[in-house]
Amino acid sequence: MNQLSGAEAFVHMLQGHGVRHIFGLCGDTSLPLYDALYRLDHGITHVLARDERSAAYMADAYARVTGRVGVCEGPSGGGATYLLPGVVEANESAIPVLAVTTDIAVGSRGRYVLTELDQEALYRPLTKWNRVIDRAEEIPQTLRAAFRHMTTGRPGAAHIGLPFDVQKDPVDEAAVHADPALGEFPARRVAPEPAAIEAAAAAILSAERPLLICGGGPVIAGAWAELRALAELLELPVATTISGQGSIAEDHPLALGVVGSNGGTPETRAVVDEADLVILLGCRAGSVTTERWQHPAPGEVRVVHIDVDPAVIGANYPTEVAVVGDARLALLALLETLAGRVPSARAFGRARVARAKAEKLAAYRELARSDETPIRPERIVATLQELLPRDALVVADAGTPCPYLSAYYEFREAGRHFVTNRAHGALGYALPAAIGAKIGRPGATCVAVMGDGSFGFAAGELETIARLGLPITMVVVANATFGWIKAGQRSGFGERYFAVDFTPGQHARIAEAYGIRAWRVEDPADLRPALAAALEAGAPALVDVVTQPLHEARAPVSEWIA
Ligand SMILES: Cc1ncc(C[n+]2csc(CCOP(=O)(O)OP(=O)(O)O)c2C)c(N)n1
């Protein structure tokens, strides 16, 4: 038999699944793997990150924008622990990320080897599938299982541990084969039961004011054409969660925009409350989307719940009709079932959406023109809206960027154009995620919007952006405080501000020290020229905007404690 080393087999298995990029950071236990990556002709580009946490966020964003599995890697012990935040974010957001940790030799276990850690136990609660490989011959089947689990059903993250000796032991070359279809997601889509579709159609037809709320599912399933067709057939207002932005072009007359406590507003909430039937599509109806299960009101609204994951259906709302299946296939089936059965179109949807949007945007537009200093977040959003092309990629952190962009930035193309980490909202996501997003979609204008708190978490990756020469425009929304938490102290704790403020940073100068072009903006009049110059630079660029803090702002946030 022809033999490969374990590391060689591992690389060929990634190649066989169509992997083109790996994001990672080196370590002792990874040396055989790195050597195989160096020697073999595999067509995979390795992107060196400066922190494994960033590598995982890069892989996550890369997967979101490409529809392919994102791969990140790090060494045993510290590397394995530093990858975790990105892996859990991906898993909870139904994004397939393969985390590869190398590990101490199987033969050294239990002997107090530097970096020893039970990496399988560590990853168990954070992944959909997880295995530390004990014998090299298991490598091909382990990779196949990981890809099957990551990209079928509800997508999710997987972890594979690759011990040092396993990387060097022999593998039969004949065992190295892969189905490249499993490198993309969703793979092997599952269609819903016809009876469930018929019941859903009947329920929807019997409703007077139905409303659709899209979670991340329709974006992952690429269901925007079918969604739009269904909305137009039924004159159905379409709301989304933050992860669901991109399910429908937000300038469509039936697109209501984001609902919920983060990015929803009283005007969009009113439409939710008026609905007599809500279709939850690829949406878990979690605390943020539903304003802690108040809007819509459980028990008072009829619910049709469509999801690829049967476990989420009925978790939060008494459900009249449960439909299990891929979002695109479910919508296609609904369209077929409803054909010819919808009474002549009612204008209700469009008129109601238009009114809600006009009311919501009136107050925003006023603030977006404001010449106040510190600069209002509304003005930043409006300026980005003016300058960015329709198909730009916007990557955002928690804090000020997320609610403001969700509420007021209009993503005018369906599909994944907004990348943000809504499972955990951990700070420091946007800067590294923008790297993965830009590498995944090199032709798109890419902007990362982050608070100065988030900047502090991620600034080390400025070197990566500069080294790779990635033309990403970073916008730092600088207010010298962990503003979201300060706003929570204002709204719920009598303005007892405790341990939230930090020293104002010179973010432009930090970027310049990395060789990145940068602007600092304090005067609102300078904002547009600085952002325009940054976007036109064709090179890494950063704009540091001294911004009104959230606790003084009129943020589109109904609850600070989600
Ligand atoms: C890793 C992590 N730790 C803590 C939090 C809790 N948290 C949510 S928002 C926020 C403040 C964000 O500050 P900043 O990035 O400066 O943005 P701002 O809210 O000021 O706009 C914090 C600390 C978090 N989301 N992630």
Side-chain angles (χ1 to χ4, degrees), residues 53 57 85 397-403 421-422 424-428 450-457 477-487 500 502 547-550 560:
R53 192 176 41 153
Y57 287 152
D397 269 304
T400 304
C402 184
N421 52 336
R422 288 325 299 164
H424 282 200
L427 303 181
M450 69 200 81
D452 44 1
S454 274
F455 177 88
F457 276 70
V477 177
N479 54 21
T481 184
F482 285 117
W484 184 283
I485 308 305
K486 192 166 189 175
V500 284
F502 48 81
T547 310
Q548 182 190 42
L550 275 176
W560 297 97

Side-chain angles (χ1 to χ4, degrees), residues 476-533:
V476 182
V477 177
N479 54 21
T481 184
F482 285 117
W484 184 283
I485 308 305
K486 192 166 189 175
Q489 290 174 343
R490 176 175 182 163
S491 75
F493 293 85
E495 300 186 37
R496 290 184 294 281
Y497 299 131
F498 177 78
V500 284
D501 295 330
F502 48 81
T503 315
Q506 293 293 334
H507 310 104
R509 286 171 62 187
I510 294 169
E512 281 164 357
Y514 281 97
I516 291 172
R517 290 191 63 185
W519 291 257
R520 180 177 169 85
V521 178
E522 294 180 35
D523 182 343
D526 295 336
L527 182 62
R528 193 177 197 282
L531 279 172

Side-chain angles (χ1 to χ4, degrees), residues 136-156:
E137 65 192 51
E138 297 163 6
I139 287 174
Q141 74 205 44
T142 306
L143 266 291
R144 285 191 288 270
F147 275 85
R148 281 201 306 277
H149 284 275
M150 282 188 288
T151 60
T152 64
R154 179 187 191 271

